[in-house]
Amino acid sequence: KQEVTQIPAALSVPEGENLVLNCSFTDSAIYNLQWFRQDPGKGLTSLLLIQSSQREQTSGRLNASLDKSSGRSTLYIAASQPGDSATYLCAVRGTNSGYALNFGKGTSLLVTP
Amino acid sequence: ETGVTQTPRHLVMGMTNKKSLKCEQHLGHNAMYWYKQSAKKPLELMFVYNFKEQTENNSVPSRFSPECPNSSHLFLHLHTLQPEDSALYLCASSQGPVDEQYFGPGTRLTVT
């Protein structure tokens, strides 16, 4: 069964810092990996989707990388802002798990002014 | 707005009640999903529908009954729930079953 781990569980940084969120997964046989953002009590907002054949994807200040062979993905946030405060979730769709997205528990990010 | 709406946004029900959650997507997608999000646990996939056909039931108790009348609408019928079923229930859709998923805002369910 695919296990997805996100480190750290929580992170607090001052505004303006560049930061890296980590995601690891146990089964490298994946279709794709998706990063989401979730604000308290709200649904998930898709940030980036990386296909298994890709190494990275970029959207604005966000850059996500994928190293399938080592079972790792990172989400890089440049020049963090207080509005980036949220929980960031990593989800992996494996080729051995049907259509299921397997989620990590998330990294709770707080960016202080 | 992601193009996926859910109603109601909040629901309180007793253990003997019957209620339904509704999800509607305006994205022209063919796959729809129900997820459960409990405190301190990862999101759990409950059901998957692709072209109105259920393709996955992730060992969900029968007190949860999904219905997908067409590709745009998905329901979750609830009856005789337990307090541990209190959670945020999230609906999602995607073009196909391996494509990017878009989530609704969720229904916060409390079972008393």
Side-chain angles (χ1 to χ4, degrees), chain A residues 21-81:
Chain A
L21 308 182
N22 296 292
C23 172
S24 61
F25 46 95
T26 54
D27 186 349
S28 61
I30 66 170
Y31 280 121
N32 51 45
L33 182 147
Q34 198 167 349
W35 281 95
F36 295 90
R37 167 190 173 133
Q38 185 174 29
D39 292 285
K42 303 287 180 62
L44 278 63
T45 300
S46 179
L47 298 174
L48 291 163
L49 173 74
I50 311 179
Q51 301 293 349
S52 63
S53 59
Q54 297 175 318
R55 288 288 188 125
E56 65 178 327
Q57 281 280 7
T58 298
S59 176
R61 293 183 294 109
L62 306 178
N63 176 278
S65 67
L66 174 64
D67 183 342
K68 194 174 66 168
S69 60
S70 66
R72 293 183 184 177
S73 176
T74 60
L75 179 67
Y76 176 82
I77 303 177
S80 58
Q81 303 170 357

Side-chain angles (χ1 to χ4, degrees), chain B:
Chain B
E1 290 296 325
T2 63
V4 182
T5 58
Q6 290 186 242
T7 55
R9 295 293 307 276
H10 300 272
L11 178 62
V12 179
M13 59 186 288
M15 293 195 292
T16 58
N17 290 159
K18 289 184 180 181
K19 297 286 185 183
S20 295
L21 310 184
K22 179 183 176 183
C23 175
E24 183 174 0
Q25 57 96 359
H26 311 275
L27 301 169
H29 288 166
N30 298 311
M32 296 188 77
Y33 312 78
W34 280 117
Y35 288 88
K36 175 183 179 182
Q37 187 176 36
S38 306
K40 305 204 189 288
K41 293 174 69 174
L43 264 81
E44 301 170 70
L45 178 68
M46 299 176 73
F47 302 104
V48 181
Y49 279 82
N50 193 32
F51 289 99
K52 302 188 298 177
E53 298 297 321
Q54 187 179 130
T55 56
E56 198 152 339
N57 175 338
N58 204 22
S59 303
V60 180
S62 60
R63 57 186 184 270
F64 295 92
S65 174
E67 179 190 1
C68 188
N70 55 61
S71 292
S72 299
H73 294 84
L74 185 64
F75 295 89
L76 187 62
H77 304 299
L78 316 171
H79 64 99
T80 58
L81 295 191
Q82 306 297 312
E84 60 264 28
D85 297 322
S86 299
L88 182 67
Y89 288 85
L90 292 161
C91 173
S93 73
S94 61
Q95 183 60 47
V98 297
D99 295 318
E100 187 171 6
Q101 291 188 15
Y102 295 84
F103 281 74
T107 295
R108 172 66 64 183
L109 174 66
T110 303
V111 181
T112 61

